[in-house]
Amino acid sequence: MSAITPLRDENLQQQLHAAITQVNKVLLGKARQVKLAFTCLIAGGHLLLEDVPGVGKTTLAHALAASFALDFQRVQFTSDLLPSDIIGVSMYERETGQFRFHPGPVFAGLLLADEINRATPKTQSALLEAMAERQVTVDGQTHALPEPFFVVATQNPLDLAGTFPLPDSQLDRFMLRVSLDYPDASAERELLTGIDRRDLLTRLTPQLDAAGLGALYRQVQTITASPALIDYLQALLTASRRHPDIRVGLSPRAGLSLLAAARAWAMLSDRGHVLPEDIQALFVPLAAHRLVAARGASGEALARTLLSEVAVD
């Protein structure tokens, strides 16, 4: 590869790194997970946080919204939640003699879908159109969602009583699935002796706004991906569809998401071009929740197998 290509807007890059630094001060010891979350956000994807309660999933969502001045809405998913509770409802107004649409919490810059797998499939499906097309349709009328629109969903992978597993079509709409895991000893010590995370969240200041995030979207698209890099990405996609241990491989949408995420990861690494290492760093969090095993292996194990078997030319 050639020397590092400088990024064009240094001021925007400084603001982005200031936002990352700010979030890392709240979510201690999770620099990689924070970088993955920022990658997903600036690549225009959606994020699935899968972990046990109390490790900072909601805190991360709040910190991202505060750092980008995003309108934040939180929905606690439960078995009695209805699609209209998320997307909104048309109500008849006697004064005008017409129906008027009342937007739901999905009309937000950042929507936190908390414990998404506790809602019924009918309610989960209310997010399909929103996540894929940035719009919702109610009573035959289409309503555009705000830009930017970013979904952060959480689920507990252990306590599965009363839950409804997300269908493949829903999982494929999440660009990355990330586990925060427990903090290391030094980070946990600071958590125990330092300022309450809720107090820290109130002190966060916006480092970028919606316009800045839009500029980041456009800058991500200018990051160079060479033909050889595309060859490597395609080889991974093809291998996932032909591997004997994989029943359902990666979709074309997964390939587009991997390329977009790799460009964002490269930009966060202060590079103007994508390296194979960027693909490798993102492949497991991007592919593991999409791969359907033929023989019971975990998606993460299958993703790592593909990385080991597909060579970089």
Side-chain angles (χ1 to χ4, degrees):
M1 283 287 184
S2 60
I4 291 177
T5 305
L7 293 169
R8 298 177 182 175
D9 192 332
E10 293 297 333
N11 184 52
L12 191 65
Q13 191 73 1
Q14 290 173 5
Q15 292 174 301
L16 176 59
H17 284 300
I20 295 173
T21 300
Q22 178 170 258
V23 174
N24 275 320
K25 289 179 180 178
V26 177
L27 208 72
L28 298 174
K30 302 299 176 188
R32 173 175 168 77
Q33 290 91 331
V34 168
K35 186 176 180 180
L36 286 169
F38 272 81
T39 296
C40 192
L41 176 58
I42 67 175
H46 303 291
L47 179 65
L48 178 61
L49 297 175
E50 186 176 272
D51 217 319
V52 297
V55 294
K57 301 187 294 295
T58 302
T59 300
L60 175 57
H62 275 286
L64 287 171
S67 296
F68 285 89
L70 297 175
D71 178 30
F72 179 87
Q73 292 285 345
R74 175 179 179 174
V75 178
Q76 189 67 46
F77 278 58
T78 58
S79 59
D80 59 349
L81 192 72
L82 298 175
S84 58
D85 296 327
I86 302 171
I87 62 177
V89 63
S90 293
M91 298 183 66
Y92 181 76
E93 294 183 337
R94 179 181 295 180
E95 296 80 6
T96 63
Q98 296 179 335
F99 284 89
R100 186 165 71 90
F101 177 64
H102 293 259
V106 74
F107 287 83
L110 191 153
L111 174 68
L112 173 59
D114 210 4
E115 296 187 293
I116 189 173
N117 57 335
R118 295 200 176 277
T120 62
K122 180 178 181 180
T123 301
Q124 290 178 12
S125 67
L127 284 176
L128 291 177
E129 181 185 13
M131 294 174 67
E133 301 175 41
R134 264 63 173 183
Q135 65 181 33
V136 297
T137 303
V138 181
D139 298 332
Q141 296 293 318
T142 298
H143 306 273
L145 293 173
E147 290 289 348
F149 173 66
F150 183 47
V151 174
V152 177
T154 72
Q155 62 178 6
N156 181 351
L158 300 179
D159 182 13
L160 300 179
T163 63
F164 302 86
L166 299 181
D168 293 342
S169 58
Q170 183 98 55
L171 288 172
D172 198 40
R173 283 163 167 77
F174 287 104
M175 178 175 282
L176 300 178
R177 184 183 67 178
V178 176
S179 174
L180 295 182
D181 206 355
Y182 294 111
D184 59 29
S186 60
E188 188 161 36
R189 182 78 175 189
E190 189 171 347
L191 283 171
L192 293 170
T193 59
I195 301 173
D196 189 288
R197 300 298 102 179
R198 289 170 295 186
D199 292 335
L200 278 181
L201 285 174
T202 64
R203 303 179 187 182
L204 297 183
T205 57
Q207 302 300 317
L208 287 153
D209 56 12
L213 186 52
L216 288 173
Y217 289 159
R218 293 187 293 273
Q219 189 165 315
V220 164
Q221 295 167 10
T222 67
I223 302 299
T224 302
S226 68
L229 191 284
I230 300 296
D231 289 343
Y232 177 52
L233 190 155
Q234 277 195 290
L236 286 168
L237 297 177
T238 302
S240 76
R241 299 162 187 165
R242 296 178 178 175
H243 200 283
D245 293 333
I246 299 175
R247 183 162 58 89
V248 179
L250 298 176
S251 68
R253 174 162 48 201
L256 291 169
S257 294
L258 181 55
L259 181 58
R263 283 180 163 135
W265 186 269
M267 194 176 82
L268 289 173
S269 303
D270 297 324
R271 276 184 282 104
H273 59 269
V274 182
L275 297 176
E277 288 83 351
D278 301 324
I279 299 289
Q280 293 161 356
L282 293 163
F283 191 71
V284 173
L286 184 137
H289 62 288
R290 291 177 162 95
L291 297 173
V292 179
R295 297 184 175 86
S298 70
E300 183 173 337
L302 292 172
R304 295 190 185 282
T305 296
L306 290 172
L307 279 178
S308 66
E309 292 181 355
V310 177
V312 180
D313 293 332

